[in-house]
Amino acid sequence: MYVFVFRFLVDVGLSSLMLQMNDLTKLQELRVGTNIIQSMSLPPFMSTFKDFSLLDLHANNISIIKTDHTEAGLKALYGLNLSDADVLDGLRSIYFQEVYYYINERASEPISIFRCMINATNVLVKNGMIDEMEYVFFREIKELYLLYDHSGTLPGKQLSHLHTLEKRVIAHNIEPIRAGTFTDMPKLQYLDLSCNRMTLKRCCTTLLSGTPQIRYLNLSRNGEISLDVGGFDGLDSLEIRDFHHTRVVDMGYFSALSNLKYLRHLDVSYSTITFTNIYCFYGLRNLNVFKIAGNNFQGDVARYLFNNLTFLEHLNMSYCRVVELHPSSFRNLQRLRLLNLRGNNLMTIDFLAYPDLKQLTSLSQTSRSLICPLTPSIAPAPRQILFGGLSKIRTF
Ligand SMILES: *[C@@H]1O[C@H](CO)[C@@H](O)[C@H](O)[C@H]1NC(C)=O
Ligand SMILES: *[C@@H]1O[C@H](CO)[C@@H](O)[C@H](O)[C@H]1NC(C)=O
Ligand SMILES: *[C@@H]1O[C@H](CO)[C@@H](O)[C@H](O)[C@H]1NC(C)=O
Ligand SMILES: *[C@@H]1O[C@H](CO)[C@@H](O)[C@H](O)[C@H]1NC(C)=O
Ligand SMILES: *[C@@H]1O[C@H](CO)[C@@H](O)[C@H](O)[C@H]1NC(C)=O
Ligand SMILES: *[C@@H]1O[C@H](CO)[C@@H](O)[C@H](O)[C@H]1NC(C)=O
């Protein structure tokens, strides 16, 4: 098939793209760099040019791009091949709402594309093949997403001092995340650092400081995190914290969380914790959802551990290898509605007789996916409950 390639080269002061090109329907490229063009508005008929794929506007005088300017040209800009990493510096004086920048090849030098986005409010880097990025002091940033399938890096290896960052930061597969990476971000509320293979000592003040408004912290699916006394100082606003499938060292030995009085949701499932201290959850008076599956309790620690968590509605302690629970283990838990004890080896369920459990509507037991809804009329003093997997059933 004959393809008509039209190259238009002008550097004699072209000021507009409104050219008489109606008949050039096979046009593929329009190169009009080094002119004085002020608007990238293309003639409307060009939207029917199916082969049009390249519009070179470098070194012109375009300072504003409006949506209606791009109707014909946007598809051509998509696929723009920028071989010079600094080329986006040309965007410095353009007021844009969104820029999507795709990188095809792994860069040999630190990427500097973010320099031109210093005023951006939302930045998303997805699967960028970026080994190194220079630190950019984003002046207006509110949300930052760094989502990689394989390992990627943080801009400038750290994100500190971004004073406007407030809504959220989500970063996956970042390596390495070092201590002090997230400091001095007074407005930050939401930080999701799940899935980063991170190893962190003396969490969490080593990772976060100067972030007094943080309410959501997700460190699940990481390597190993060790806690410290006072490790949550200055993070008093935390409401949701997720550590599941991250090995959390020392959590079972002392009460590291006692200042988290607003904490509503805590997930430490499969965190290789052995709870030895009954005060581990001291002070968590607003805790509502508690997922503690796949850990261990030493001796009869479970008898006291939950006693002051009076706001608890959802407790998942499945697969904790619990053989016995003292009848008063769930005393004071008057709001408890959902209790998951699946995958344990309980001999008795005396605790169900405890009068405080009057809200309990769902109890999951056995490893064979049996959920037995209990109506308030049979709790707290059910006459007989049939559970598979129990080696002994008592009636009350
Ligand atoms: C560039 O555009 C500005 C308006 O945005 C205009 O004032 C200026 O004269 C233009 N420069 C040239 C060389 O055309
Ligand atoms: C992009 O441009 C560079 C340099 O001009 C060239 O070597 C490369 O092949 C181009 N890539 C594509 C995908 O067109
Ligand atoms: C950012 O905004 C400031 C003023 O608001 C402006 O002077 C500066 O050129 C902008 N920088 C970029 C890279 O857009
Ligand atoms: C934390 O992140 C993991 C993995 O990205 C996700 O599955 C989980 O829902 C998040 N936890 C919360 C409480 O949002
Ligand atoms: C429960 O709260 C009481 C009263 O504040 C306190 O004396 C006790 O030590 C707490 N127990 C646990 C296990 O946190
Ligand atoms: C309880 O935890 C187990 C193990 O993590 C999980 O499979 C189950 O879906 C959880 N159940 C509820 C109701 O959260």
Side-chain angles (χ1 to χ4, degrees), residues 308-357:
N308 285 351
L309 307 179
T310 52
F311 271 65
L312 214 54
E313 288 184 29
H314 176 154
L315 176 60
N316 189 342
M317 50 186 292
S318 51
Y319 303 97
C320 284
R321 286 181 248 175
V322 180
V323 185
E324 197 173 5
L325 277 171
H326 190 274
S328 70
S329 300
F330 305 115
R331 82 192 168 111
N332 300 334
L333 305 191
Q334 299 194 8
R335 295 173 186 234
L336 195 67
R337 288 187 294 108
L338 193 151
L339 176 61
N340 192 334
L341 292 169
R342 217 176 276 183
N344 289 296
N345 306 306
L346 286 173
M347 312 288 277
T348 65
I349 48 168
D350 302 18
F351 56 85
L352 281 181
Y354 221 80
D356 287 344
L357 287 181

Side-chain angles (χ1 to χ4, degrees), residues 278-283 304-308:
I278 63 164
Y279 297 108
C280 288
F281 304 117
Y282 186 85
Y304 306 100
L305 210 51
F306 310 111
N307 285 179
N308 285 351

